[in-house]
Amino acid sequence: MPIHEKTLLAPEQVLQADKLVVDGVDVSGHWNTMILPRTLTDYDEDFEKTIQAYGGGENVHRCWQCGSCTNSCTMYAINIDFNPRYWIYLVRLGLKDELLKDKDIIWQCVSCNKCTNICPKDVRPEGVMKAIQHWMEDQGYVPKAPSTLFDEEFTRQCLERGRIEDSEVLLNFFKQTRQNLWQLATRGWLGIFVARMNKWTELKKGRIGRFLARVPILMPMHMAWNLVFKPRTRSWGRTGEILRRYVEEQKRIAHG
Ligand code: SF4
Ligand code: SF4
């Protein structure tokens, strides 16, 4: 396992004699490495609290740096720069700049939760990875993740209308993530939709009536109606406003 903390050392802090013999014992090279002390000043002493305020990051203070999370990590097996233990260490020290050096790979966590299962201190490293990602999104260091865009669209509809329309959630999600809607419709959703009807045999046998009777027509019409007229839960206006204020207040309490 690479020693990631080495990145915290400036080269001039590492002293090493190429050739050194002490009392007849050859301690040349790595054996005589000395590291000069360094005083950290570029840290944020509240950063641990900031991450704890995000869902999943609550237990980050419990970590005792055993490394079990990284050793068991699915992503670490593929990319040795993906290191939950190291990032938790940086969170605890408040070294945001060091953490941001890895901002392009932290999102690679696949939420397999092997780390969480093995952690002896119930830190829930998977949750910490998510908390760090959300903090980076909120601060504008990285673009919003697809899961965040999905959550935002879902929440927006709940707050505005007291209900969600599945087709509208998906449509807006695909638009915001700039996915090819036509390709998704023809090769993805529509393909599965048609395949699951599984009634082509009826058509092939010339039973057109039975085929049409089993083709879902009403549901797409209902979805289209909801997309256009955007129905709301009855008397939702006041309730929605109260809910919105409550959500904003909770965010303010958590993140300031
Ligand atoms: S397994 Fe838990 S205690 Fe060990 S380094 Fe990872 S988060 Fe810390
Ligand atoms: S949940 Fe993420 S950090 Fe944890 S083991 Fe899986 S890939 Fe690694």
Side-chain angles (χ1 to χ4, degrees), residues 69 72-75 82 84 109-115 126 129:
C69 49
S72 66
C73 176
T74 304
M75 282 313 299
F82 189 95
C109 170
V110 292
S111 295
C112 62
N113 270 307
K114 285 185 184 172
C115 54
E126 188 268 350
M129 294 305 101

Side-chain angles (χ1 to χ4, degrees), residues 63-69 85 88 119-121 123 125:
C63 176
W64 61 9
Q65 290 289 296
C66 68
S68 301
C69 49
R85 180 202 62 81
I88 288 169
C119 176
K121 296 288 284 177
V123 173

Side-chain angles (χ1 to χ4, degrees), residues 16 18 23 31 69 104 112 121 178 202 205 226:
Q16 191 174 290
D18 289 339
D23 289 341
W31 296 108
C69 49
D104 293 331
C112 62
K121 296 288 284 177
R178 294 193 174 80
E202 304 287 357
K205 288 176 187 166
N226 286 351

